[in-house]
Amino acid sequence: MPPIVAIKDLCKTYASGHQALKNINLDIKRGEIIALLGPNGAGKTTLISTICGIVSPTSGTVTVDGHDTVRHYRKTRSLIGLVPQELTLGAFEKVENTLAFSRGLFGKKPDPAHIEKLLKQLSLWDKKDSALMMLSGGMKRRVLIGKALSHSPKVLFLDEPTAGVDVELRKDMWKLVSDLRESGVTIILTTHYIEEAEEIADRVGVINNGELLLVEDKNALMQKLGSKQLSIELREAISSIPESLNTYELQLSDNGTQLIYSYDVKSERTGITALLQAVNKAGLQLKDLHTSQSSLEEIFVNLVNDRQTPPDPSKETHPMKDAL
Amino acid sequence: MNWQAISVIYKSEMLRTRNTLLQSIASPVISTCLYFVVFGSAIGSRIQTVGGVDGQGGVSYGVFIVPGLMMLSLLTQSISNASFGIYFPKFTGTIYEILSAPISFFEVIIGYVGAAATKSIIIGTIILITASFFVDLSIAHPLWMLAFFILTCVTFSLFGFIIGMWADSFEKLQLIPLLVITPLVFLGGSFYTIDMLPPLWQKISLLNPVLYLISGFRWSFFELSDVNHGTSLIMVLAFLFICLGIVWWMFKSGYKLRQ
């Protein structure tokens, strides 16, 4: 099945000379949730804005459902819904009217039943006659989502949808995003919150300095790049790590009862068996063992750092150690 | 054409007027009444008829100022309504929605300029009705009057739209209406005919484009004009096409909207 959004050799250089996007190539599959991660100024919002028509590309092409976003902008934009990063709403309009306005703007005939359904879904029905300026930040965020969904788009862009939103509302939004995906909407979200990507995305793209560093299936990415930590809990506290264990580059917890060993899941030999034997030989008694996998955040920080600083040969065998 | 989009922009702009009814409608009515009290009764009663020969014929000063008063309001209201209409979404950031919608720049203009022109037409009509309570009005050429009336509203709404696009602060939004338009209207013969001026100032006044609008509009009421009404019409149309040209260039270049 052809991708719903296909980005080819996309570049954007602003009038100031700042190169915000550098040769971006990305295919977004129908019905998936893809999270774009990146630090501030990485180019995430420029990428979204270019696809949506707010920013004109310098070179390259973007197609949505097979239509070029510049030549067939009416067709492509009618398929897209955008929730911007900022809480950009009018002040005096009523909630219900602003959703109806957005629907009309996208060429759809008035449909009060659809607007009512959306407002109920977003828990905004009791606020339908409220002026926008009277709403809380969380409610405004939901109104923006309602506006973006008012014309039933096939592709939804969420630019930092949960920035400044409390935990409860964030989880509500994740549920909403998940429900939308179930209804066949493709979702592209940018986020600072790695846990957000980890929680809801199917694929993760990492952008930094206008370059798309990688796009991977989330689980595969974590599997591929993630390092694991083995925590060895000791029966009795020790003051320093025995010299015989130096080769394993262990870390000792502050209370001296835990040895932490980082290993790469990609390597064939993790060294765990040898380590446990060495620990036994060193006369240490084990109380418990457990492992934990590195989070997407650690992967992300590592990737971005790798691009910013020249690789250090001493870290080649433990690519994730720095981040951990 | 995305008629739905044009319709919602137009309606939301008209709704904004309804929500600020007092400011939008009452304000021009009150200022018109004040002008009539000051110029029509207090000062006008001491002025002989205008446009007559040797004090015979012509129209009373109170009647004479009606077209000028209407033009004064039409120009300022058209510009302020249209400029604010497009500037406010830019200021709040809600312009993103218009930029990402399947709508052409031309359709955006029809929505905003259409609404601003409609408001001006409503205000102009209210002023005309208010004036008829103070003086006996007759319109010699109703069709010409309508043509000048509507063309002026549309042209200056378009001009206001351009100002709204250009402005990046509230101060800039007020700059041209206050420093350029208001002086041009007052010096364009709103309250006098240019033959009341010394010869040099008569010639200088002919460089003021607003003079042609007021003159043509006044001619449609009383067949009194400083310049030929055909020339006036050509001037309005010329300004309309200049504004359309600027807007077309803005559309092509994405001026201050699309980076």
Side-chain angles (χ1 to χ4, degrees), chain A residues 66-82:
Chain A
H67 305 280
D68 186 272
T69 53
V70 176
R71 278 181 292 136
H72 306 122
Y73 72 95
R74 282 188 198 271
K75 181 70 189 163
T76 60
R77 291 186 200 169
S78 64
L79 297 171
I80 293 174
L82 167 66

Side-chain angles (χ1 to χ4, degrees), chain A residues 198-215:
Chain A
E198 212 166 338
E199 182 75 25
I200 58 176
D202 300 313
R203 283 199 302 160
V204 175
V206 178
I207 299 185
N208 194 34
N209 286 328
E211 287 178 276
L212 192 59
L213 302 182
L214 69 82
V215 182

Side-chain angles (χ1 to χ4, degrees), chain A residues 2-283:
Chain A
I4 185 89
V5 178
I7 303 163
K8 206 172 171 202
D9 302 328
L10 188 67
C11 295
K12 175 65 192 177
T13 306
Y14 286 108
S16 62
H18 171 62
Q19 202 177 352
L21 297 177
K22 297 170 188 165
N23 217 37
I24 304 277
N25 285 285
L26 174 65
D27 283 349
I28 296 167
K29 299 171 199 165
R30 279 166 207 272
E32 74 170 334
I33 300 176
I34 182 164
L36 297 173
L37 294 175
N40 283 331
K44 306 184 298 287
T45 301
T46 301
L47 178 58
I48 284 187
S49 300
T50 311
I51 301 168
C52 294
I54 297 169
V55 170
S56 303
T58 305
S59 62
T61 57
V62 180
T63 59
V64 178
D65 209 13
H67 305 280
D68 186 272
T69 53
V70 176
R71 278 181 292 136
H72 306 122
Y73 72 95
R74 282 188 198 271
K75 181 70 189 163
T76 60
R77 291 186 200 169
S78 64
L79 297 171
I80 293 174
L82 167 66
V83 181
Q85 191 175 333
E86 305 292 334
L87 294 176
T88 43
L89 280 171
F92 306 106
E93 295 98 323
K94 289 177 179 172
V95 171
E96 191 176 20
N97 290 352
T98 196
L99 262 69
F101 174 84
S102 300
R103 184 176 169 82
L105 212 52
F106 280 77
K108 290 278 180 81
K109 286 186 178 155
D111 185 353
H114 177 65
I115 302 294
E116 182 181 335
K117 193 180 119 194
L118 269 179
L119 288 174
K120 284 181 174 165
Q121 202 178 350
L122 292 161
S123 312
L124 285 169
W125 182 240
D126 57 332
K127 297 281 177 191
K128 70 186 172 75
D129 293 319
S130 300
L132 294 170
M133 64 179 176
M134 303 304 289
L135 303 179
S136 67
M139 283 178 187
K140 283 181 180 168
R141 182 74 65 189
R142 277 182 273 165
V143 171
L144 285 171
I145 294 176
K147 280 166 82 69
L149 294 174
S150 64
H151 63 283
S152 312
K154 278 189 176 174
V155 183
L156 182 67
F157 286 90
L158 297 159
D159 198 358
E160 311 247 353
T162 53
V165 162
D166 64 41
V167 177
E168 199 177 334
L169 184 57
R170 191 176 301 167
K171 289 197 170 154
D172 283 352
M173 291 221 185
W174 291 349
K175 167 86 171 55
L176 179 73
V177 167
S178 174
D179 291 347
L180 283 170
R181 197 258 296 269
E182 291 298 312
S183 67
V185 178
T186 305
I187 292 154
I188 297 106
L189 66 98
T190 69
T191 183
H192 276 307
Y193 301 113
I194 315 284
E195 73 169 316
E196 190 160 87
E198 212 166 338
E199 182 75 25
I200 58 176
D202 300 313
R203 283 199 302 160
V204 175
V206 178
I207 299 185
N208 194 34
N209 286 328
E211 287 178 276
L212 192 59
L213 302 182
L214 69 82
V215 182
E216 283 274 1
D217 178 86
K218 180 188 66 186
N219 295 328
L221 177 68
M222 293 184 66
Q223 190 69 34
K224 196 164 133 190
L225 289 178
S227 76
K228 276 192 157 183
Q229 287 185 323
L230 173 69
S231 299
I232 303 166
E233 218 170 304
L234 304 172
R235 253 183 218 289
E236 286 168 14
I238 55 173
S239 55
S240 62
I241 300 169
E243 273 184 31
S244 59
L245 300 176
N246 277 355
T247 51
Y248 298 97
E249 297 185 19
L250 299 176
Q251 289 173 313
L252 184 63
S253 64
D254 288 345
N255 62 8
T257 59
Q258 233 179 26
L259 289 169
I260 298 157
Y261 172 59
S262 298
Y263 61 97
D264 190 352
V265 287
K266 287 185 289 180
S267 61
E268 279 185 24
R269 300 174 76 93
T270 59
I272 292 174
T273 315
L275 169 67
L276 291 177
Q277 284 171 350
V279 168
N280 193 31
K281 264 189 188 169

Side-chain angles (χ1 to χ4, degrees), chain A residues 280-301:
Chain A
N280 193 31
K281 264 189 188 169
L284 303 175
Q285 285 199 312
L286 307 188
K287 188 179 173 191
D288 199 3
L289 289 175
H290 61 89
T291 61
S292 61
Q293 189 154 20
S294 63
S295 70
L296 205 48
E297 182 159 6
E298 289 154 347
I299 297 170
F300 167 71
V301 170

Side-chain angles (χ1 to χ4, degrees), chain B residues 112-188:
Chain B
Y112 280 106
V113 172
T118 307
K119 283 183 231 175
S120 298
I121 288 169
I122 293 170
I123 290 167
T125 309
I126 290 173
I127 292 174
L128 198 62
I129 293 167
T130 311
S132 67
F133 288 111
F134 289 88
V135 290
D136 283 331
L137 267 178
S138 61
I139 300 167
H141 302 283
L143 285 179
W144 276 89
M145 181 266 183
L146 272 179
F148 275 117
F149 186 20
I150 294 168
L151 268 175
T152 304
C153 291
V154 172
T155 305
F156 280 82
S157 295
L158 207 53
F159 185 54
F161 186 85
I162 292 167
I163 293 173
M165 290 276 289
W166 164 78
D168 43 28
S169 67
F170 278 101
E171 192 190 7
K172 272 191 175 177
L173 203 61
Q174 296 296 330
L175 204 67
I176 290 182
L178 276 177
L179 295 185
V180 181
I181 301 301
T182 308
L184 285 182
V185 178
F186 273 89
L187 299 174

